[in-house]
Amino acid sequence: MGKIALAVFLAALGTGLVDLLLLVRSALSVYRTLNAAYDDYRAWSASFTEKGSRMYEGLRRLEGRAGSILETMDRVRESVEDIQDTLEEMRSSPLLRAARFLGRHRPGA
């Protein structure tokens, strides 16, 4: 019975040693995986940073164009308001009113 107990003890000790070796191998695999992931992250990080800066510059140019369009629209609005004011002044002109009155009441019309 002592030999069987010794065999069971040595088998358990051997299994523990195999488990320890598998644990070290797994830890090494995890380390290599994390190291590769970090390398990939650095490569993609630089790419994303570059693309982000290009996108930011594009948005800045778009903002400038939009500002230019808004300025042009403001000038057009001011011109339209000036035209409306001029037309209103022309409609309220006494000379134009008299011409309309004479046009409506002319003989033979």
Side-chain angles (χ1 to χ4, degrees), residues 31-53:
Y31 171 75
R32 278 192 256 154
T33 302
L34 290 177
N35 196 17
Y38 180 69
D39 289 342
D40 288 346
Y41 164 75
R42 284 189 299 169
W44 283 103
S45 174
S47 174
F48 284 147
T49 302
E50 180 183 336
K51 287 180 183 179
S53 65

Side-chain angles (χ1 to χ4, degrees), residues 48-69:
F48 284 147
T49 302
E50 180 183 336
K51 287 180 183 179
S53 65
R54 275 191 274 152
M55 185 183 296
Y56 178 74
E57 288 300 319
L59 287 174
R60 297 291 280 171
R61 286 193 304 260
L62 185 62
E63 182 183 11
R65 290 177 186 163
S68 172
I69 290 171

